[in-house]
C-alpha cells in the first residue's frame, strides 16, 4: 500500500491519470475504520502503522500537480464493507484512525512495524509507539487542513489543525531527548533512539520528519 502511494507522488508528474487511477485502486483496499492492509496486490493483512499516513501526503501531492479537485468527489468503496465514501472521506478517515490509534504516551501505535521494518515489535518489549509515524500524522494533518481550506471544508480544516497541534505538543513532551528526537517508545519503558542507549542512539527519520512537519 505504502509503496504504491509513494510511486504515485512521482508518477503524477509524468502520467497523472495513471497516478489517480492507482490511488483509487489503493483506496479501495482501505477498511471502513480508516486503516489499510500492508499490501493489496496480493492481499496482505499485516498491520503497519505508517500505511494510512501516506494517503495524507499522496492525495494532496497529486492534486497540487493536477489541480483536478473533482478527484475528491470520486466515490470509492471500503474494503470488505458495504460502505463507500468519496476520496476526501477516505483521507479524513485515515487521519482520524491515526489520531485515535494511540498508546500510553499518546503517540501512534506501531503495530507490526512502521517504515523501518527492523523495528518490528517483540514479546519482551510489548507494544510500541512510533515517533516517526506520529510526525507523519502531523505533516499529513497540515496537508489535509490546507486541502480542506481550498475546497471550502472549514470543519475538516479545523479538525486537522487541532490534531496537528495536539500531537506536536505531545511529541515535544514525550519524545524529545534533549538533543534529538527518539525513534520508538516501547511498552516496557525502553526508548529506541535515545542518548541513553549503547547502540542506535539516533535515527534519521524522526529528525528529518520533525523538520518536514514543523514539529521541531
Amino acid at each position: 500500500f505504502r509503496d504504491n502511494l509513494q510511486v504515485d507522488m512521482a508518477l503524477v508528474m509524468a502520467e497523472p491519470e495513471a497516478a489517480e487511477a492507482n490511488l483509487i485502486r489503493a483506496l479501495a483496499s482501505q477498511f471502513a475504520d480508516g486503516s489499510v492492509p500492508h499490501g493489496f496486490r496480493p492481499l496482505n493483512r499485516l498491520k503497519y502503522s505508517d500505511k494510512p499516513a501516506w494517503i495524507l501526503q499522496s492525495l494532496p501531492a497529486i492534486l497540487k500537480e493536477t489541480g483536478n479537485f473533482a478527484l475528491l468527489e470520486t466515490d470509492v468503496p471500503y474494503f470488505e464493507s458495504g460502505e463507500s465514501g468519496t476520496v476526501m472521506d477516505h483521507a479524513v478517515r485515515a487521519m482520524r484512525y491515526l489520531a485515535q490509534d494511540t498508546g500510553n504516551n499518546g503517540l501512534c501505535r506501531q503495530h507490526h512495524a512502521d517504515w523501518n521494518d527492523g523495528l518490528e515489535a517483540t514479546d519482551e518489549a510489548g507494544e510500541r509507539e512510533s515517533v516517526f509515524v506520529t510526525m507523519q500524522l502531523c505533516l499529513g494533518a497540515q496537508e489535509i487542513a490546507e486541502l480542506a481550506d481550498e475546497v471550502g471544508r472549514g470543519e475538516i480544516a479545523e479538525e486537522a489543525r487541532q490534531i496537528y497541534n495536539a500531537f506536536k505538543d505531545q511529541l515535544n513532551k514525550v519524545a524529545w531527548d534533549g538533543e534529538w528526537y527518539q525513534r520508538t517508545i516501547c511498552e516496557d519503558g525502553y526508548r529506541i533512539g535515545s542518548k541513553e542507549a549503547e547502540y542506535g542512539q539516533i535515527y534519521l527519520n524522526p529528525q528529518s520528519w520533525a523538520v518536514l512537519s514543523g514539529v521541531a
Side-chain angles (χ1 to χ4, degrees), residues 76-99:
V76 182
Y78 286 99
F79 190 57
E80 296 182 336
S81 167
E83 286 190 74
S84 67
T86 65
V87 167
M88 185 68 172
D89 182 59
H90 279 258
V92 171
R93 290 199 192 192
M95 178 179 71
R96 290 173 178 167
Y97 170 78
L98 288 165

Side-chain angles (χ1 to χ4, degrees), residues 121-128 186-188:
T122 64
D123 292 337
E124 292 81 5
E127 292 189 1
R128 298 183 177 192
C186 301
E187 188 177 17
D188 67 353

Side-chain angles (χ1 to χ4, degrees), residues 37-72:
H38 174 52
F40 58 95
R41 299 184 296 195
L43 179 64
N44 183 333
R45 296 179 184 273
L46 199 61
K47 183 178 287 188
Y48 281 66
S49 59
D50 68 297
K51 308 291 182 172
W54 292 103
I55 300 172
L56 310 181
Q57 281 135 59
S58 63
L59 174 59
I62 288 172
L63 294 175
K64 288 176 184 179
E65 188 69 26
T66 67
N68 179 22
F69 288 97
L71 176 67
L72 293 174

Side-chain angles (χ1 to χ4, degrees), residues 139-158:
L139 176 58
Q142 286 182 307
E143 292 284 347
I144 294 301
E146 181 181 359
L147 174 57
D149 279 336
E150 185 71 23
V151 296
R153 298 290 301 274
E155 75 286 359
I156 297 298
E158 178 61 24

